[in-house]
Amino acid sequence: MTVFGLAVRTLRHRAGGFAAVFLAMVLGATILMAFASMLDIATGDVPGAARETLVIMATVVGGWGMLLVAFAVVSTLTLAVRQRAAEIALLKSVGATPAQLTRMIVGEAVALAVVSVALAVAPAALAGRGLLALLHDTGQVPADVGYAFGPIALAQGFGITLVASVAAAYITARRTTRVRVAESLVSAEVERPRMSKKRIVAGGLFLALGLDLAIVTVTAMRNAGQETMATAGQAAILASFGLAVLAPGLVRGAARLAGGVLERCGAAGDLALASLRGRTGQAASVVTPIILFTGIGTGTLYVQATENAVIARSGLAPEEGAETIETLNLVVIGMIVAFTALMLVNTLLAATAHRRREFGQLRLAGAAPGQVLGAVALEGAVLMVTGVLAGTVASVFTILPFTVARADALVPDGGPGIYAGTVAVAAALTLVTVVGATRRALRVPAVEAVAV
Amino acid sequence: MNTSMEEALRLEAVRRVYGSDGNRVTALDGVSLALPAGSFTAVMGPSGSGKSTLLQCAAGLDRPTEGRVYVDGAELAGGGEAALTRFRRERIGFVFQRFNLLPTLTVMQNVTLPLKLAGRRVDRRRARSILERVGLGDRLHHRPAELSGGQQQRVAIARALVTEPKVVFADEPTGALDTRSAREVLALLQESVRVYGRTIVMVTHDPVAASHADQVLFLADGRLVGRMAAPTAERVAEHMTRLGELVGV
Ligand SMILES: Nc1ncnc2c1ncn2[C@@H]1O[C@H](COP(=O)(O)OP(=O)(O)OP(=O)(O)O)[C@@H](O)[C@H]1O
Ligand SMILES: [Mg+2]
């Protein structure tokens, strides 16, 4: 059987494990192509100002969307491959070379990406139509400019999704397949305890870029109007990415800090702590979307609230184009919130479903279903707090420089309600999903769950 | 009833039918038995004869379709999974072919886990002495992945014994082990019966393993079809061959 044949068979038999990757790709490609189709529209007969709006929409918003999508694909694919560590070790033990395994994993990713993008075409065209309608309604694009979905949207959708998938698959595959067989067979379920140098460098780089934009905001962009907002907004996005890349380290730190409290929570606390310590990688992939959600969401919302307040206080008419920026901002917020929220649910479902065997073992050791739920909820709470705190730190990269530059203040407008709301949504999504998914996993009889 | 013939396990006409209309499988077809406390019983039979099902029904891991199960004089709890868990905690220990140790917990944590889950006082000294008895006194802080199969199974036995259960059920406990590790595991099981008065029910395919027990029960097509006291490996092997011919396996 060819390696590609093996890849296709694996996909067919492990549909469950790849559902999260698949969803990330379909949603990601939908967002990518919806924005890219603005460029398709702009190639038609469009007046200058409207064309500019369309191009900004596609490049600025679409550019961030692209990074977000790449991040989601990398994160879900890493989780999916890690969950198959045991299977990969087995394949190695029967003679598969690292090169063959890498080809298999990359092949799977390519197959998934192609199918996902194809499926995303219809919803993307629909979403693109919605975006255009928004621009029509706000008068930024004349009503007689019609919708177009063409080669640019398709090329970007396929191109970016494929490149992100192949890169993510390749990196993950190399990491997984280079471990020696004996080592990977025994430690398939417990992972290495340290972050790689490359990861630390990458995370540091994102953070440094975020910091750079923050500094630029208070210095060069001090009175640059809308530019100030755009520059400041990107600082939180970059900082969120940086902290998300460093998530394994954050989880380890959280486990150390929460250790004392968890140890006093009985058996459930012990189990939560052991899981945080022994399965850092899985935990980190859950923390990632929480950081992005909190960091980017809070940052953008406060910046918009402060901008509105500053304009209202100045008593002047809003600057020309402010409307476009606000629309863009709201679209970004909406897109990011929806996407990261879905990724959060998606990742949690995949991570929890994979723990069926572990839950079965716990029950055989005498855990009542309620105790398993308790342990998982505690663990989820620690991850949620970790993600929210990191996201809060990331949002400061945007909020502080912006309020200093635009309003000469340290505290943004908008009140504590925005923050409370964001945190509440993050908490609710995390806990409801974790408890729901665990409940489902517990419905399988314990003996059956461990027999997998 | 506190005589030497105190009863540890009783099954009355237990039936277990899997599946629904169309594809029913009768895994257990009216099994009745009674085992005295402090006995070591092996269960043998061809593949698919219902051994694992018997063990799971007797151990409260599965509910019989019909019939009754009593462990240490108490009938298997009705009600939900939580009630069943409480029932098992107080009376039953398990050992599985695939160990089922929690990979993220150390040896010591794995062994004390059932006590913690039951909200009982965790006596580390006693847990350590049990681990010393199974020969792992120097591996307390290792993770299961750092131990050999035989060592992992010994941890599993220590974990099964730590709650001082009335009955320990073992499903092919030596199935994944080499001869020497298997012998060590069997010796430990035997010791827990002779010295500490536990009752053990062990499913096995290995006549040598079965010969460590006081008696062997033979199962075929979900029914008890034979019993052998004071078994030896040769007699058990011979009986199994005949049984195989009988049911055409
Ligand atoms: N969950 C299930 N659903 C349907 N049928 C089952 C289920 N579990 C077991 N069976 C069937 O019940 C019968 C008895 O199975 P059981 O696992 O008890 O056999 P066993 O004696 O332990 O076999 P082995 O020696 O191979 O472990 C078999 O025919 C099996 O296919
Ligand atoms: Mg069996």
Side-chain angles (χ1 to χ4, degrees):
Chain A
M1 187 170 45
T2 64
V3 172
F4 189 72
L6 185 62
V8 172
R9 283 176 64 106
T10 312
L11 284 181
R12 207 177 301 143
H13 287 279
R14 303 199 140 233
F18 281 93
V21 185
F22 187 62
L23 193 62
M25 287 180 178
V26 173
L27 275 169
T30 303
I31 291 175
L32 282 175
M33 292 193 288
F35 281 102
S37 70
M38 299 298 115
L39 291 174
D40 281 315
I41 302 172
T43 56
D45 184 19
V46 182
R51 170 166 304 150
E52 200 179 320
T53 303
L54 287 169
V55 172
I56 290 180
M57 194 85 162
T59 48
V60 177
V61 184
W64 288 113
M66 181 182 90
L67 252 183
L68 202 63
V69 168
F71 216 82
V73 170
V74 171
S75 137
T76 47
L77 203 62
T78 310
L79 183 67
V81 173
R82 187 179 288 132
Q83 290 185 340
R84 289 169 56 202
E87 180 194 337
I88 289 169
L90 206 67
L91 283 172
K92 262 195 265 182
S93 72
V94 298
T97 64
Q100 281 175 318
L101 287 170
T102 305
R103 276 209 299 283
M104 178 189 90
I105 293 167
V106 173
E108 286 167 8
V110 168
L112 267 180
V114 170
V115 175
S116 308
V117 179
L119 282 178
V121 167
L126 214 64
R129 234 172 247 284
L131 277 178
L132 184 65
L134 194 73
L135 295 174
H136 282 159
D137 289 349
T138 52
Q140 296 166 70
V141 171
D144 60 352
V145 172
Y147 184 64
F149 186 93
I152 303 180
L154 281 176
Q156 286 209 2
F158 270 102
I160 294 169
T161 311
L162 265 180
V163 169
S165 309
V166 169
Y170 186 73
I171 295 168
T172 321
R174 266 174 55 100
R175 196 188 312 150
T176 317
T177 56
R178 275 196 311 189
V179 187
R180 270 174 298 123
V181 173
E183 204 179 319
S184 55
L185 269 178
V186 293
S187 63
E189 303 202 45
V190 190
E191 20 176 322
R192 284 167 305 162
R194 301 190 63 123
M195 283 197 288
S196 70
K197 280 223 177 60
K198 271 183 224 149
R199 180 181 282 274
I200 296 174
V201 168
L205 208 65
F206 272 119
L207 282 174
L209 284 173
L211 191 63
D212 181 47
L213 286 184
I215 292 169
V216 167
T217 306
V218 273
T219 53
M221 295 285 173
R222 215 171 162 102
N223 286 307
Q226 299 154 9
E227 300 268 313
T228 318
M229 210 160 144
T231 314
Q234 293 163 7
I237 303 185
L238 286 167
S240 299
F241 282 139
L243 290 172
V245 168
L246 299 176
L250 299 180
V251 170
R252 224 163 283 130
R256 212 167 304 132
L257 285 177
V261 179
L262 287 178
E263 268 161 11
R264 247 164 280 143
C265 292
D270 284 345
L271 290 170
L273 191 57
S275 179
L276 286 170
R277 281 183 184 146
R279 243 187 297 267
T280 322
Q282 307 252 359
S285 60
V286 171
V287 170
T288 295
I290 307 180
I291 298 178
L292 298 180
F293 177 85
T294 317
I296 305 177
T298 320
T300 325
L301 284 170
Y302 273 117
V303 161
Q304 190 62 55
T306 306
E307 173 74 13
N308 291 351
V310 166
I311 289 170
R313 275 199 295 269
S314 73
L316 300 171
E319 215 175 324
E320 198 191 330
E323 200 184 359
T324 310
I325 296 291
E326 176 156 18
T327 312
L328 281 178
N329 250 337
L330 292 179
V331 170
V332 179
I333 297 166
M335 178 184 82
I336 288 171
V337 166
F339 188 69
T340 49
L342 265 162
M343 284 336 301
L344 174 53
V345 171
N346 192 9
T347 314
L348 275 173
L349 285 178
T352 312
H354 184 67
R355 296 175 67 178
R356 242 172 58 170
R357 182 173 152 80
E358 178 198 344
F359 296 159
Q361 291 174 325
L362 272 176
R363 286 154 75 198
L364 292 179
Q371 286 175 309
V372 178
L373 270 179
V376 173
L378 266 179
E379 192 186 326
V382 172
L383 295 182
M384 191 271 291
V385 172
T386 309
V388 163
L389 286 180
T392 308
V393 169
S395 72
V396 172
F397 276 66
T398 280
I399 297 171
L400 191 61
F402 185 75
T403 51
V404 168
R406 190 87 176 103
D408 263 325
L410 289 175
V411 182
D413 288 281
I418 295 179
Y419 185 62
T422 318
V423 172
V425 172
L429 280 179
T430 310
L431 294 178
V432 168
T433 311
V434 153
V435 170
T438 307
R439 272 224 155 97
R440 250 189 68 160
L442 287 174
R443 261 192 250 140
V444 184
V447 191
E448 232 168 84
V450 300
V452 188
Chain B
M1 194 173 72
N2 223 342
T3 65
S4 61
M5 283 306 287
E6 192 188 348
E7 201 171 81
L9 179 72
R10 167 185 286 277
L11 268 63
E12 287 177 0
V14 169
R15 270 170 61 81
R16 179 65 170 99
V17 182
Y18 287 113
S20 47
D21 307 320
N23 55 345
R24 281 179 195 281
V25 179
T26 305
L28 286 182
D29 196 3
V31 172
S32 299
L33 57 84
L35 301 178
S39 62
F40 186 173
T41 305
V43 178
M44 297 192 78
S47 189
S49 56
K51 304 180 295 295
S52 295
T53 308
L54 174 70
L55 216 65
Q56 286 160 19
C57 285
L61 289 171
D62 191 5
R63 285 180 193 283
T65 315
E66 282 170 37
R68 291 159 180 271
V69 175
Y70 299 85
V71 181
D72 196 15
E75 185 170 1
L76 196 67
E81 171 79 15
L84 215 48
T85 303
R86 274 193 299 279
F87 183 90
R88 292 197 301 256
R89 265 180 199 162
E90 288 160 21
R91 303 175 177 84
I92 293 167
F94 308 101
V95 180
F96 297 90
Q97 180 176 357
R98 286 178 60 195
F99 324 135
N100 284 323
L101 301 173
L102 273 295
T104 54
L105 300 183
T106 63
V107 166
M108 186 65 168
Q109 288 170 332
N110 261 293
V111 170
T112 52
L113 181 64
L115 295 173
K116 281 191 187 147
L117 289 169
R120 283 159 64 170
R121 201 175 63 83
V122 177
D123 185 345
R124 287 177 178 282
R125 276 229 303 283
R126 216 174 64 78
R128 178 183 309 214
S129 88
I130 294 179
L131 278 165
E132 275 162 6
R133 215 162 70 219
V134 302
L136 291 170
D138 53 345
R139 309 303 287 269
L140 302 184
H141 303 295
H142 290 224
R143 296 255 179 95
E146 297 165 322
L147 303 180
S148 73
Q151 289 168 332
Q152 290 189 53
Q153 193 60 299
R154 284 185 272 148
V155 176
I157 290 175
R159 182 177 68 175
L161 293 175
V162 77
T163 54
E164 309 194 302
K166 191 72 178 182
V167 189
V168 174
F169 293 94
D171 196 347
E172 303 190 39
T174 58
L177 304 180
D178 65 85
T179 321
R180 199 175 128 240
S181 305
R183 217 178 312 123
E184 286 168 0
V185 160
L186 289 164
L188 280 172
L189 292 176
Q190 230 170 8
E191 184 190 272
S192 70
V193 174
R194 305 279 175 269
V195 183
Y196 302 94
R198 304 271 162 266
T199 309
I200 291 186
V201 183
M202 171 181 75
V203 165
T204 181
H205 280 288
D206 176 10
V208 178
S211 69
H212 285 73
D214 310 325
Q215 66 160 346
V216 182
L217 298 178
F218 294 93
L219 209 60
D221 292 332
R223 293 198 190 88
L224 279 179
V225 292
R227 174 176 175 275
M228 181 187 295
T232 64
E234 292 75 28
R235 285 176 54 224
V236 170
E238 190 197 334
H239 195 100
M240 282 300 292
T241 315
R242 262 190 286 131
L243 201 59
E245 283 160 4
L246 223 65
V247 296
V249 174

